Short mmCIF file of all heavy atoms in Angstrom, two decimals:
data_model
loop_
_atom_site.label_atom_id
_atom_site.label_comp_id
_atom_site.label_asym_id
_atom_site.label_seq_id
_atom_site.Cartn_x
_atom_site.Cartn_y
_atom_site.Cartn_z
N THR X 1 -14.31 -39.12 33.48
CA THR X 1 -14.39 -40.58 33.40
C THR X 1 -14.09 -41.04 31.98
O THR X 1 -14.33 -40.31 31.01
CB THR X 1 -15.78 -41.06 33.81
OG1 THR X 1 -16.76 -40.47 32.95
CG2 THR X 1 -16.07 -40.68 35.26
N LYS X 2 -13.60 -42.26 31.88
CA LYS X 2 -13.26 -42.82 30.58
C LYS X 2 -14.42 -43.64 30.03
O LYS X 2 -15.29 -44.09 30.77
CB LYS X 2 -12.01 -43.70 30.71
CG LYS X 2 -10.77 -42.94 31.17
CD LYS X 2 -9.59 -43.89 31.30
CE LYS X 2 -8.34 -43.15 31.76
NZ LYS X 2 -7.17 -44.06 31.91
N GLU X 3 -14.40 -43.84 28.74
CA GLU X 3 -15.43 -44.64 28.09
C GLU X 3 -15.41 -46.07 28.65
O GLU X 3 -14.36 -46.70 28.73
CB GLU X 3 -15.18 -44.68 26.57
CG GLU X 3 -16.24 -45.43 25.80
CD GLU X 3 -17.57 -44.71 25.80
OE1 GLU X 3 -17.58 -43.47 25.94
OE2 GLU X 3 -18.61 -45.38 25.66
N GLY X 4 -16.58 -46.55 29.06
CA GLY X 4 -16.68 -47.90 29.58
C GLY X 4 -16.24 -48.06 31.02
O GLY X 4 -16.25 -49.18 31.55
N GLU X 5 -15.87 -46.97 31.66
CA GLU X 5 -15.40 -47.03 33.04
C GLU X 5 -16.58 -47.12 33.99
O GLU X 5 -17.56 -46.38 33.85
CB GLU X 5 -14.56 -45.79 33.34
CG GLU X 5 -13.84 -45.84 34.66
CD GLU X 5 -12.95 -44.61 34.86
OE1 GLU X 5 -13.48 -43.48 34.82
OE2 GLU X 5 -11.73 -44.79 35.03
N THR X 6 -16.50 -48.02 34.97
CA THR X 6 -17.55 -48.12 35.97
C THR X 6 -17.27 -47.15 37.11
O THR X 6 -16.17 -46.59 37.21
CB THR X 6 -17.64 -49.55 36.54
OG1 THR X 6 -16.46 -49.81 37.32
CG2 THR X 6 -17.76 -50.58 35.44
N LEU X 7 -18.25 -47.00 37.97
CA LEU X 7 -18.06 -46.12 39.12
C LEU X 7 -16.95 -46.64 40.01
O LEU X 7 -16.13 -45.86 40.51
CB LEU X 7 -19.36 -46.00 39.92
CG LEU X 7 -19.28 -45.17 41.20
CD1 LEU X 7 -18.79 -43.76 40.93
CD2 LEU X 7 -20.64 -45.12 41.89
N LEU X 8 -16.88 -47.95 40.20
CA LEU X 8 -15.82 -48.52 41.02
C LEU X 8 -14.46 -48.28 40.38
O LEU X 8 -13.49 -47.94 41.07
CB LEU X 8 -16.06 -50.02 41.23
CG LEU X 8 -15.07 -50.75 42.12
CD1 LEU X 8 -14.95 -50.09 43.49
CD2 LEU X 8 -15.48 -52.21 42.28
N ASP X 9 -14.36 -48.42 39.05
CA ASP X 9 -13.11 -48.11 38.35
C ASP X 9 -12.70 -46.66 38.62
O ASP X 9 -11.52 -46.36 38.83
CB ASP X 9 -13.26 -48.32 36.84
CG ASP X 9 -13.46 -49.77 36.45
OD1 ASP X 9 -12.99 -50.64 37.21
OD2 ASP X 9 -14.09 -50.02 35.42
N HIS X 10 -13.67 -45.79 38.59
CA HIS X 10 -13.42 -44.37 38.80
C HIS X 10 -12.95 -44.10 40.22
O HIS X 10 -11.99 -43.34 40.45
CB HIS X 10 -14.70 -43.59 38.49
CG HIS X 10 -14.63 -42.13 38.75
ND1 HIS X 10 -13.82 -41.26 38.03
CD2 HIS X 10 -15.26 -41.36 39.68
CE1 HIS X 10 -13.97 -40.03 38.49
NE2 HIS X 10 -14.83 -40.06 39.50
N LEU X 11 -13.58 -44.74 41.20
CA LEU X 11 -13.23 -44.51 42.61
C LEU X 11 -11.82 -44.97 42.93
O LEU X 11 -11.16 -44.40 43.81
CB LEU X 11 -14.24 -45.22 43.52
CG LEU X 11 -15.68 -44.71 43.51
CD1 LEU X 11 -16.54 -45.55 44.43
CD2 LEU X 11 -15.76 -43.25 43.89
N ILE X 12 -11.36 -45.99 42.22
CA ILE X 12 -10.02 -46.52 42.49
C ILE X 12 -8.95 -45.48 42.22
O ILE X 12 -7.85 -45.53 42.79
CB ILE X 12 -9.78 -47.81 41.66
CG1 ILE X 12 -10.67 -48.94 42.20
CG2 ILE X 12 -8.33 -48.24 41.69
CD1 ILE X 12 -10.67 -50.18 41.35
N ASN X 13 -9.26 -44.49 41.39
CA ASN X 13 -8.30 -43.43 41.12
C ASN X 13 -8.12 -42.49 42.31
O ASN X 13 -7.19 -41.68 42.33
CB ASN X 13 -8.74 -42.62 39.89
CG ASN X 13 -8.61 -43.41 38.62
OD1 ASN X 13 -7.53 -43.54 38.06
ND2 ASN X 13 -9.72 -43.96 38.15
N TYR X 14 -9.02 -42.59 43.30
CA TYR X 14 -8.94 -41.73 44.47
C TYR X 14 -8.36 -42.44 45.68
O TYR X 14 -7.87 -41.80 46.60
CB TYR X 14 -10.34 -41.21 44.83
CG TYR X 14 -10.94 -40.29 43.80
CD1 TYR X 14 -11.62 -40.79 42.70
CD2 TYR X 14 -10.82 -38.91 43.94
CE1 TYR X 14 -12.18 -39.94 41.76
CE2 TYR X 14 -11.38 -38.06 43.01
CZ TYR X 14 -12.05 -38.58 41.91
OH TYR X 14 -12.60 -37.73 40.99
N SER X 15 -8.45 -43.74 45.69
CA SER X 15 -7.98 -44.48 46.87
C SER X 15 -7.72 -45.94 46.51
O SER X 15 -8.43 -46.52 45.67
CB SER X 15 -9.04 -44.41 47.99
OG SER X 15 -8.66 -45.21 49.09
N ASN X 16 -6.71 -46.52 47.13
CA ASN X 16 -6.50 -47.96 47.01
C ASN X 16 -6.84 -48.68 48.30
O ASN X 16 -6.55 -49.86 48.47
CB ASN X 16 -5.06 -48.27 46.59
CG ASN X 16 -4.06 -47.84 47.67
OD1 ASN X 16 -4.42 -47.16 48.64
ND2 ASN X 16 -2.80 -48.23 47.49
N ASP X 17 -7.47 -47.95 49.23
CA ASP X 17 -7.91 -48.53 50.48
C ASP X 17 -9.21 -49.29 50.21
O ASP X 17 -10.25 -48.69 49.93
CB ASP X 17 -8.15 -47.43 51.52
CG ASP X 17 -8.47 -47.99 52.91
OD1 ASP X 17 -9.12 -49.04 52.98
OD2 ASP X 17 -8.09 -47.35 53.91
N GLN X 18 -9.15 -50.60 50.29
CA GLN X 18 -10.30 -51.40 49.92
C GLN X 18 -11.47 -51.22 50.88
O GLN X 18 -12.63 -51.39 50.49
CB GLN X 18 -9.91 -52.88 49.82
CG GLN X 18 -8.93 -53.13 48.68
CD GLN X 18 -8.69 -54.61 48.43
OE1 GLN X 18 -9.42 -55.47 48.88
NE2 GLN X 18 -7.62 -54.91 47.69
N ASN X 19 -11.20 -50.85 52.12
CA ASN X 19 -12.29 -50.56 53.05
C ASN X 19 -13.06 -49.31 52.63
O ASN X 19 -14.28 -49.27 52.68
CB ASN X 19 -11.75 -50.40 54.47
CG ASN X 19 -11.27 -51.70 55.08
OD1 ASN X 19 -11.77 -52.77 54.74
ND2 ASN X 19 -10.28 -51.62 55.95
N VAL X 20 -12.30 -48.30 52.20
CA VAL X 20 -12.93 -47.06 51.73
C VAL X 20 -13.75 -47.33 50.47
O VAL X 20 -14.91 -46.88 50.35
CB VAL X 20 -11.86 -45.98 51.45
CG1 VAL X 20 -12.49 -44.76 50.76
CG2 VAL X 20 -11.17 -45.57 52.73
N LEU X 21 -13.18 -48.09 49.55
CA LEU X 21 -13.89 -48.41 48.31
C LEU X 21 -15.15 -49.22 48.58
O LEU X 21 -16.20 -48.99 47.99
CB LEU X 21 -12.96 -49.17 47.36
CG LEU X 21 -11.74 -48.41 46.86
CD1 LEU X 21 -10.79 -49.34 46.12
CD2 LEU X 21 -12.16 -47.26 45.95
N ARG X 22 -15.03 -50.18 49.50
CA ARG X 22 -16.19 -51.01 49.85
C ARG X 22 -17.29 -50.16 50.46
O ARG X 22 -18.46 -50.27 50.09
CB ARG X 22 -15.77 -52.11 50.83
CG ARG X 22 -16.88 -53.05 51.26
CD ARG X 22 -16.51 -53.77 52.53
NE ARG X 22 -16.36 -52.84 53.65
CZ ARG X 22 -15.52 -53.03 54.66
NH1 ARG X 22 -14.72 -54.08 54.69
NH2 ARG X 22 -15.46 -52.14 55.65
N ASP X 23 -16.91 -49.30 51.42
CA ASP X 23 -17.92 -48.46 52.09
C ASP X 23 -18.60 -47.52 51.11
O ASP X 23 -19.82 -47.31 51.17
CB ASP X 23 -17.27 -47.66 53.22
CG ASP X 23 -16.81 -48.55 54.37
OD1 ASP X 23 -17.22 -49.72 54.43
OD2 ASP X 23 -16.02 -48.06 55.20
N GLU X 24 -17.81 -46.93 50.22
CA GLU X 24 -18.38 -45.96 49.28
C GLU X 24 -19.37 -46.64 48.33
O GLU X 24 -20.47 -46.14 48.10
CB GLU X 24 -17.26 -45.30 48.47
CG GLU X 24 -17.69 -44.04 47.75
CD GLU X 24 -18.05 -42.92 48.71
OE1 GLU X 24 -17.43 -42.80 49.77
OE2 GLU X 24 -18.99 -42.16 48.39
N THR X 25 -18.98 -47.78 47.78
CA THR X 25 -19.87 -48.48 46.86
C THR X 25 -21.11 -49.01 47.58
O THR X 25 -22.21 -48.99 47.03
CB THR X 25 -19.15 -49.64 46.16
OG1 THR X 25 -18.52 -50.48 47.15
CG2 THR X 25 -18.09 -49.12 45.21
N LEU X 26 -20.93 -49.44 48.82
CA LEU X 26 -22.07 -49.93 49.59
C LEU X 26 -23.07 -48.81 49.88
O LEU X 26 -24.28 -49.01 49.79
CB LEU X 26 -21.60 -50.57 50.90
CG LEU X 26 -22.68 -51.22 51.76
CD1 LEU X 26 -23.32 -52.38 51.01
CD2 LEU X 26 -22.09 -51.71 53.07
N ASN X 27 -22.57 -47.63 50.20
CA ASN X 27 -23.45 -46.48 50.43
C ASN X 27 -24.26 -46.16 49.18
O ASN X 27 -25.48 -45.92 49.25
CB ASN X 27 -22.63 -45.25 50.82
CG ASN X 27 -22.28 -45.19 52.30
OD1 ASN X 27 -22.59 -44.23 52.99
ND2 ASN X 27 -21.63 -46.21 52.82
N ILE X 28 -23.61 -46.16 48.04
CA ILE X 28 -24.30 -45.83 46.80
C ILE X 28 -25.24 -46.95 46.40
O ILE X 28 -26.33 -46.71 45.86
CB ILE X 28 -23.28 -45.52 45.69
CG1 ILE X 28 -22.43 -44.31 46.10
CG2 ILE X 28 -23.97 -45.25 44.37
CD1 ILE X 28 -21.27 -44.03 45.19
N LEU X 29 -24.85 -48.19 46.69
CA LEU X 29 -25.74 -49.32 46.41
C LEU X 29 -27.01 -49.23 47.25
O LEU X 29 -28.10 -49.54 46.78
CB LEU X 29 -25.01 -50.64 46.70
CG LEU X 29 -25.79 -51.92 46.44
CD1 LEU X 29 -26.23 -52.00 44.98
CD2 LEU X 29 -24.96 -53.15 46.80
N LEU X 30 -26.87 -48.81 48.50
CA LEU X 30 -28.04 -48.63 49.37
C LEU X 30 -29.01 -47.64 48.74
O LEU X 30 -30.23 -47.87 48.68
CB LEU X 30 -27.61 -48.15 50.75
CG LEU X 30 -28.72 -47.67 51.70
CD1 LEU X 30 -29.64 -48.82 52.05
CD2 LEU X 30 -28.13 -47.05 52.96
N ALA X 31 -28.46 -46.52 48.25
CA ALA X 31 -29.31 -45.50 47.63
C ALA X 31 -29.87 -45.98 46.29
O ALA X 31 -31.04 -45.75 45.98
CB ALA X 31 -28.51 -44.21 47.44
N GLY X 32 -29.03 -46.65 45.51
CA GLY X 32 -29.44 -47.06 44.18
C GLY X 32 -30.40 -48.23 44.16
O GLY X 32 -31.19 -48.38 43.22
#
């Protein structure tokens, strides 16, 4: 990860599918 990079910034490097990004962040938000 880069300095100042958020988790969402990091996830975008794996997928540009906004549904996937939304689901992943929502799952982690539930836990967090």
Side-chain angles (χ1 to χ4, degrees):
T1 59
K2 298 179 180 179
E3 183 69 26
E5 189 176 58
T6 69
L7 176 57
L8 182 55
D9 293 333
H10 176 67
L11 294 178
I12 291 172
N13 290 280
Y14 294 84
S15 175
N16 65 351
D17 186 326
Q18 294 189 16
N19 290 331
V20 172
L21 296 171
R22 181 199 64 211
D23 292 345
E24 196 66 35
T25 52
L26 184 63
N27 276 237
I28 298 172
L29 181 59
L30 170 65

